[in-house]
Amino acid sequence: MIDKLHFTEENSIEDFEIILDILAGDRDAYKEIVQKYEVRVRSYCLNVLQNSAQADDAAQEIFIKAYQALGQFRGAASFSTWLYRIAANHCTDVIRKIARWKTESWEALLEKEGEQLESLFSVAPKIERSEQSQLIAKLLSVLPEKYRTILVLREIHGLSYQELSETLECSVDAVKARLKRARQEIEMKSRHLLERKRV
Amino acid sequence: MDHQSIKEKLLSYKDPELSTAEREQITLHLTSCEDCRSAFARWEAVRSKFKALPSARSSEAFVNQVMARLDALEKVEPTIVVSEQRPFLRWLLPLTGYAFAFFLMILAITHQEQQVNTDAVLLADVPQASQWTFSMETPDTSRLLGIQKEEI
């Protein structure tokens, strides 16, 4: 199996060597992988799940799953993209479980925080950064899960179209289409907010 | 590109994957279209605030928790994927079962016992020849019992 693992430019040599060591039986080598990627994975979980305790639990599960599936890593994509794929799938499952008892509609959010939301769409907002962060989190939470996932991966974690396609296991054209719809969804909400204000 | 085509690509204006030609066309369109300019400004305002979302801080405790969980799961080892061997002609077994069941069904239909219409039997003027028709004649018990009458 090990000889099937092939090196690509996207994979760092360091990751490649560590993975070979782990697969050869050196479990402790996995600590280097966790240390290297824990901030990225925990941040992704936090951005998507918006709860630090749930995010840390999810991140732990993701690293355990990644370890158990390490034998399936072929090196065609970078290790970080492969890890993001596991993280995206795991967080999708968690969101679907949470959604059974916790969903807030866009209308409910407008009723509660209409005025503050308006500042999100303003170039010169009159609110603090911490408030901006809470509002963005709330805005993301009313989006469909697939839009939330792609926006976090693209706008916060900076994945390219190609990396998104490998992470979300779809074509680059599908990535472009989904990203466009996700962005349009936010733009439409901003338009709706402004029209509501005029009425 | 017309207004609709521009609108489709407007929100990806800052994506490095967009071609230079496409970007130039959008730039030109933005100078003349108030609606697109305003939509793009709203999107950019939101996009710039995505960075305000909190990110996790490096935590050695987290790393140790993951490693402790791996240690606790003694049997957990990186799984090497072995492609599953599918038995040859795996579909044949259920197919044989279905064929046999079908055969039994056909057999049951073709060898059905002839049904007696009881109404027709009871209401008929003429006695019907069936296992339920009673003979009015007194049976010859001697013949049935195989006793030969002695001739006087």
Side-chain angles (χ1 to χ4, degrees):
Chain A
M1 196 289 312
I2 290 171
D3 57 309
K4 283 185 185 173
L5 191 70
H6 58 276
F7 176 74
T8 65
E9 282 180 22
E10 294 154 342
N11 271 322
S12 75
I13 297 170
E14 193 186 352
D15 284 353
F16 183 72
E17 285 173 351
I18 295 169
I19 292 163
L20 287 180
D21 286 347
I22 299 164
L23 291 173
D26 181 4
R27 186 190 290 180
D28 291 341
Y30 192 61
K31 191 171 183 176
E32 288 178 60
I33 292 283
V34 182
Q35 280 169 332
K36 186 172 177 182
Y37 292 104
E38 58 113 1
V39 171
R40 267 190 257 184
V41 172
R42 285 170 56 230
S43 295
Y44 172 77
C45 295
L46 185 62
N47 297 151
V48 172
L49 302 175
Q50 296 167 10
N51 175 304
S52 57
Q54 281 177 350
D56 273 6
D57 287 349
Q60 271 195 33
E61 291 299 325
I62 289 159
F63 278 111
I64 299 288
K65 279 184 181 178
Y67 179 80
Q68 288 174 316
L70 210 54
Q72 295 172 34
F73 177 65
R74 293 282 176 264
S78 69
F79 182 75
S80 67
T81 305
W82 186 77
L83 199 55
Y84 270 126
R85 187 189 304 166
I86 297 175
N89 288 338
H90 185 78
C91 287
T92 299
D93 290 344
V94 174
I95 288 170
R96 284 177 187 161
K97 282 177 194 163
I98 294 170
R100 286 178 196 157
W101 70 85
K102 185 191 166 188
T103 46
E104 189 173 31
S105 68
W106 166 243
E107 282 73 21
L109 186 61
L110 268 184
E111 282 299 319
K112 280 200 287 187
E113 320 215 25
E115 283 184 22
Q116 279 110 329
L117 275 173
E118 206 181 308
S119 66
L120 273 187
F121 305 112
S122 157
V123 182
K126 294 168 188 167
I127 54 172
E128 297 291 319
R129 191 179 164 88
S130 61
E131 282 180 281
Q132 286 180 28
S133 146
Q134 286 176 358
L135 286 172
I136 283 284
K138 283 176 183 171
L139 181 63
L140 281 175
S141 73
V142 298
L143 294 179
E145 173 274 318
K146 61 179 182 177
Y147 292 167
R148 197 190 311 181
T149 300
I150 199 165
L151 283 173
V152 167
L153 288 171
R154 174 71 184 190
E155 308 299 351
I156 302 169
H157 292 253
L159 267 64
S160 67
Y161 286 177
Q162 183 59 39
E163 287 168 332
L164 285 171
S165 133
E166 286 160 5
T167 302
L168 302 174
E169 294 172 282
C170 58
S171 67
V172 170
D173 284 341
V175 163
K176 286 181 191 172
R178 195 186 297 181
L179 196 56
K180 183 187 78 180
R181 284 196 294 270
R183 287 164 168 173
Q184 282 177 342
E185 182 84 12
I186 289 186
E187 195 276 313
M188 277 165 63
K189 287 193 187 315
S190 72
R191 196 181 287 261
H192 176 226
L193 181 71
L194 294 178
E195 282 168 2
R196 184 175 169 268
K197 193 188 167 190
R198 283 185 201 131
V199 173
Chain B
M1 280 198 283
D2 59 5
H3 176 82
Q4 193 53 39
S5 314
I6 294 282
K7 213 173 168 183
E8 291 292 306
K9 296 190 173 175
L10 182 67
L11 304 182
S12 50
Y13 181 60
K14 293 228 171 154
D15 287 353
E17 289 91 344
L18 205 70
S19 72
T20 312
E22 285 173 319
R23 192 170 293 108
E24 280 172 2
Q25 283 174 321
I26 295 172
T27 309
L28 194 66
H29 181 79
L30 283 175
T31 56
S32 60
C33 180
E34 173 62 35
D35 188 47
C36 285
R37 205 162 49 234
S38 143
F40 178 70
R42 286 197 305 273
W43 161 248
E44 276 302 305
V46 178
R47 200 170 80 99
S48 66
K49 294 179 187 75
F50 272 109
K51 300 286 178 197
L53 277 174
S55 56
R57 287 182 182 179
S58 179
S59 161
E60 195 58 30
F62 175 83
V63 177
N64 292 335
Q65 280 170 356
V66 173
M67 295 312 290
R69 275 191 64 184
L70 281 184
D71 289 339
L73 301 169
E74 281 182 0
K75 290 179 183 174
V76 174
E77 289 296 335
T79 318
I80 292 172
V81 180
V82 178
S83 59
E84 192 188 341
Q85 293 293 321
R86 304 189 76 181
F88 181 64
L89 295 178
R90 191 182 183 174
W91 50 272
L92 197 59
L93 191 64
L95 188 71
T96 313
Y98 287 129
F100 186 65
F102 183 70
F103 170 74
L104 286 178
M105 201 169 72
I106 296 294
L107 204 66
I109 290 168
T110 52
H111 288 76
Q112 248 182 352
E113 205 172 286
Q114 193 181 354
Q115 290 192 344
V116 177
N117 185 342
T118 48
D119 286 347
V121 170
L122 294 171
L123 299 173
D125 293 336
V126 182
Q128 301 288 306
S130 83
Q131 58 179 319
W132 302 108
T133 308
F134 294 101
S135 172
M136 295 300 287
E137 293 172 14
T138 312
D140 184 351
T141 48
S142 306
R143 187 167 59 82
L144 288 172
L145 296 169
I147 302 168
Q148 286 188 339
K149 285 181 184 174
E150 288 180 11
E151 285 186 17
I152 300 168

